Amino acid sequence: MTGYRRSVTVMGTVATVELYDAPDAERLADEVFAWLREVDRRFSTYRAGSDVNRLHRGELTLAECAPEVSEVLARCAEFWRDTDGYFDVYATGRLDPSGYVKGWSVQVASERLSAAGAVNHLVDAGGDIQTRGRPAPDARWEIGIRHPWHPASVCAVVTGTDLAVATSGTYERGCHVVDPRTGRPRGDLRSVTVVGRDLGTADVYATAAVAMGPPALRWLAGLDGYESMVVTEEGVSYRSAGLPVA
Amino acid sequence: MRRVILWLVGTAIGTTVLVGVKAAPGTLPFDRSAEAPLDPAASGTPTPAITRTTAPSPSAKTPTRSRTTTAPVTRTIVGDAFPARDFGDVQVKVVLTGDHIDDIIVVQMSNRPRKAPSLLRAEALAEQSADNLTNISGATYTSEAYVRSLRSALAKA
Amino acid sequence: MAPAHDERWYHERWNLEPWQHEAWPTAAPPAEPPQQPRYPDQRPGSTVVGTPALSPPARGRGTRRLLVLAGWVGLGVSVWLWFANTPPGSVDGTAAMLVEAGRITGLIAGYVLLVQVLLMSRVGWLERRIGGNELMGWHRDLGGLLVVMVLAHAVLLILGYAGYDESSLIHETWSMLTTYEDMISAFVATGLLVGIGVLAIRAIRAVMPYELWYFLHLTSYAVLLLSYGHLFASGRELADLGFGRVYWLALYAFVVANLAWGRLLGPIVLNLRHRLRVAEVVPEGQDMFSVYIRGRRLDRLRARAGQYFRWRFLTRGCWWQAHPFSLSAAPNDQYLRLTIKAVGGHTERLRWLEPGARVFAEGPSGVFTADRRTRYRALLIAGGSGIAPIRALLEELPRGAIVIYRASSPADLIFREELDWLATRRDAEVYYVIGARNDPVPRQVMSPKGLRGIVPDVQRRDVYLCGPEGLVTSAVAILRRLRVRRKQIHVDPFEF
């Protein structure tokens, strides 16, 4: 199998595409990155002219937004219900769907790659990873989970063919996830990784779990179709029974 | 008393000079020689990490690379080590084919555990090396030192 | 027993009324014949006071320069740690500049703190080479620098990191306190240091009882302890095992070792070895008295004339204070002698020390010694209780010294017999200049012309001064007018 791998910086982080046995890998990678950049343009809270920011300032109504934007926001509203209010795009006081957008954009990219015939691929944007197929005929994708204290190590490795792995944590950007009920950042869970079907959903669940704090352990255990691994600030690690560790 | 004032003034001047010596080109008000090739994030401007919409390329001042019809060569360029926020250095190396980034590999990162908590319960936090893993969930490459090392590698490309 | 010069000579030179030398002790004859100086028998082989075979060789200030240089080199290495650890061109932007400046000031502050503790460690090689007075002067000045450096370090880092994180200063400070190890103790240490700095302001120190001030100042040890953690937990240059960490640990070890030796082990060893006890207390004049101290192996004490010890007399009421008093006789193998002026409660109590009382001494300290001379001959000027070290120095300085002893009245003169005896034995001249400052004779003598009259070659002499501040200041002014170089003027200050 011939492999192709490329990384760019986008969305304030690094995005990587790995393709195996894909027709016209270069062009496909270009399209993926172009899609990610478009997502960034529309959804970034750091860009003054993004749709999200203009919406927040009232310069745009929901009806005037691009269809993806309203679709994303609609999904976010559903997640708000599903997570009992812990995933809240208004948690920081301003509209911020980035807890879902990153995972969702990678998921869409992956779907497009599959549709285009690249069935063995990996797309990674800032640590949210979606894989499909296999990297080699009898191998499986191996995704490490960054050790919450030792930056050059991993604390677990998950493996599989179709994996969506999303991690939310406090060790790279500090306590940036806000608990919507108190309005203050939470730090008792240092790292939450959710593995499941949809990367967008996994991303939301991971973010919501960090916002929840210790009660998240029970909540994560009850999720259907999603496995998880949690490391608390005291250094205790928990993982669900079905987590596909290597 | 006079001696103290002398020492204070001397220290202030000395510190300013030292910091100035290590300043990046373009930071000092009188030095506009080079531009940052990538994000202006690290220049302390209020909005962080605004990415350009073009693929990262060396700074505009250096001659642009023309695409040749022959297969582009794969190169590995090591960026400078930059001090991470707390301690230790972060250094990345970039594998480039042409001017596409194939891979970003962390060369060094201070592995000193910061307040690694003492573990009282049986379920200890495992740790293994990340050497033979290329994809890591949770590594967002958003930290200051990553970005700067990456920029320095691309600037050398 | 008359002064070395005929009083007529005075009379002719100054054209004044004959001096009221009738008011001298001859007017109030001593009850007993003038006593022989209290010197031991002139046993062959013993160290006979008054005629040492050789004056201690003039040593000069070479080692002092070396020590100062070492201090600067240490500072340079500390800052170099930052320099070597910062990649060139890595300081991009205001936030980075602030953080790096914060790191530099942190290194300087840490180094200065260690130097401060070392200066006050009372360790022999500093006390004997630089002397308590100059050490205290450096300590005061460096203290001001230290407080500013520590505050600059904290403020610059908070500002810089707040810039990086785009958070408010309060939020950044809070995040620092809660995220990093040992930051709370570092903040507490900073607060303590600022407090100590404020208390050290002269105006504030003056209104506090000294003991209270001293105990509060001792919290500087807590500053050293509390700040230690964050250096190695968060200090970039010290974090990983490498030159920086080893160097800094070595500095700490060096300072702590000196502290332990100078403040604790050294004095204990000294006192165990010599076992000093009061032999007797002898009145000397109106309010001055001498304490003779005996002990074992005093020949091994390594003290010099002109030096002082910090004396703690272990009797009820006196044991909890230690005060510096100079030796008033050159150290010898028989006894040590201090001469004290009773000025307050503690010194009054010392007058009643019983023979056999134990003494705990720390020292010797001071550079007011014969080996600091830069010329062959010396001029010694003493006033009040300043005669003590001068009297001791007269034994160790080479022949041909001139002594000017200022006193308000003849009753204030002490050691007259000894001084006269030494004068004949050592070819010295002793002038007793009696009267208030504005009386005709003292005014004449303590003037450039007058001084040059007595000491024509004053420019070629080392001048040793010890006395009340007024006398010392005016004498120094006169000497400077006479173009005597600063290097030749040695002052033993009373208070330090």
Side-chain angles (χ1 to χ4, degrees), chain A residues 7 13 26 144 167 172 237, chain B residues 100-101 103 123 127-128 137 140:
Chain A
S7 307
T13 180
E26 177 123 4
T167 301
E172 283 210 3
S237 84
Chain B
H100 290 173
I101 303 178
D103 203 358
E123 197 164 334
E127 179 182 349
Q128 29 176 284
S137 179
T140 60

Side-chain angles (χ1 to χ4, degrees), chain B residues 1-4 7-9 11-12 14-25 27-29 41-48 80-89 110-116 144 148 151, chain C residues 72 79 82-97 100-101 103-105 108 134 137-138 140-142 144-145 148-149 161 164-166 172 175 178-181 232-236 239-240 245:
Chain B
M1 197 55 208
R2 222 180 36 181
R3 197 159 58 166
V4 186
W7 285 343
L8 281 172
V9 170
T11 317
T15 308
T16 316
V17 165
L18 283 170
V19 170
V21 164
K22 296 285 187 177
T27 314
L28 301 175
S43 67
T45 54
T47 44
D80 294 325
F82 283 88
R85 189 176 178 237
D86 328 338
F87 46 76
D89 285 344
S110 168
N111 206 9
R112 196 175 76 81
R114 181 166 66 73
K115 197 189 171 185
E144 193 68 34
R148 288 158 83 191
R151 273 172 47 197
Chain C
W72 283 106
V79 175
W82 171 87
F83 197 83
N85 245 323
T86 310
S90 66
V91 179
D92 44 6
T94 329
M97 283 202 248
E100 297 304 329
R103 290 199 169 116
I104 298 175
T105 47
I108 297 177
E134 193 166 8
W138 287 352
R140 274 206 200 101
D141 287 347
L142 280 177
L145 181 72
V148 175
M149 280 295 113
Y161 283 139
Y164 272 144
D165 294 342
E166 282 105 32
E172 187 57 46
S175 133
T178 49
T179 333
Y180 294 92
E181 275 177 84
F232 295 95
S234 309
R236 191 195 65 184
D240 296 314
R245 193 186 184 91

Side-chain angles (χ1 to χ4, degrees), chain A residues 66-236:
Chain A
E68 297 102 17
V69 177
S70 38
E71 189 189 305
V72 160
L73 292 176
R75 287 288 283 136
C76 288
E78 284 172 29
F79 284 127
W80 181 80
R81 275 194 303 274
D82 294 345
T83 60
D84 206 16
Y86 276 100
F87 179 78
D88 183 357
V89 293
Y90 284 100
T92 50
R94 52 173 309 161
L95 181 59
D96 182 5
S98 48
Y100 174 58
V101 165
K102 197 147 54 91
W104 163 80
S105 60
V106 169
Q107 188 184 333
V108 168
S110 170
E111 285 162 10
R112 291 185 184 182
L113 283 174
S114 297
V119 295
N120 303 307
H121 62 257
L122 175 146
V123 182
D124 171 1
D128 287 349
I129 302 179
Q130 174 81 60
T131 70
R132 292 254 182 264
R134 293 171 181 280
D138 43 358
R140 297 159 76 176
W141 295 101
E142 287 192 346
I143 314 281
I145 298 177
R146 209 205 93 150
H147 194 283
W149 278 278
H150 302 185
S153 311
V154 294
C155 60
V157 179
V158 293
T159 181
T161 53
D162 294 1
L163 281 178
V165 183
T167 301
S168 192
T170 61
Y171 46 77
E172 283 210 3
R173 279 187 291 153
C175 300
H176 62 101
V177 177
V178 170
D179 178 349
R181 302 199 176 176
T182 62
R184 313 176 86 223
R186 273 215 96 110
D188 7 23
L189 299 183
R190 194 168 171 95
S191 165
V192 175
T193 303
V194 176
V195 179
R197 290 187 305 266
D198 292 337
L199 189 55
T201 313
D203 204 0
V204 166
Y205 286 163
T207 310
V210 174
M212 246 184 250
L217 291 165
R218 218 177 18 239
W219 177 75
L220 285 169
L223 292 173
D224 215 6
Y226 288 89
E227 308 298 331
S228 49
M229 176 171 176
V230 175
V231 181
T232 66
E233 189 60 39
E234 287 80 45
V236 185

Side-chain angles (χ1 to χ4, degrees), chain C residues 164-285:
Chain C
Y164 272 144
D165 294 342
E166 282 105 32
S167 57
S168 72
L169 293 180
I170 310 259
H171 186 258
E172 187 57 46
T173 314
W174 180 251
S175 133
M176 262 190 167
L177 277 171
T178 49
T179 333
Y180 294 92
E181 275 177 84
D182 299 309
M183 269 300 146
I184 299 183
S185 52
F187 272 73
V188 170
T190 308
L192 275 178
L193 190 65
V194 172
I196 291 173
V198 165
L199 285 180
I201 297 176
R202 234 178 264 256
I204 298 184
R205 193 175 57 192
V207 304
M208 295 180 69
Y210 178 72
E211 282 73 30
L212 175 64
W213 185 88
Y214 183 75
F215 279 114
L216 288 177
H217 198 84
L218 284 181
T219 52
S220 46
Y221 288 131
V223 170
L224 197 64
L225 263 166
L226 288 170
S227 59
Y228 181 84
H230 92 288
L231 299 183
F232 295 95
S234 309
R236 191 195 65 184
E237 279 71 29
L238 315 184
D240 296 314
L241 193 64
F243 176 70
R245 193 186 184 91
V246 171
Y247 169 74
W248 214 264
L249 284 171
L251 279 181
Y252 257 88
F254 178 68
V255 169
V256 169
N258 274 289
L259 199 62
W261 180 256
R263 289 263 172 183
L264 199 61
L265 297 172
I268 291 179
V269 165
L270 186 143
N271 285 282
L272 281 178
R273 186 193 292 162
H274 299 289
R275 295 196 203 267
L276 305 166
R277 282 177 192 271
V278 174
E280 68 185 296
V281 178
V282 172
E284 294 285 355

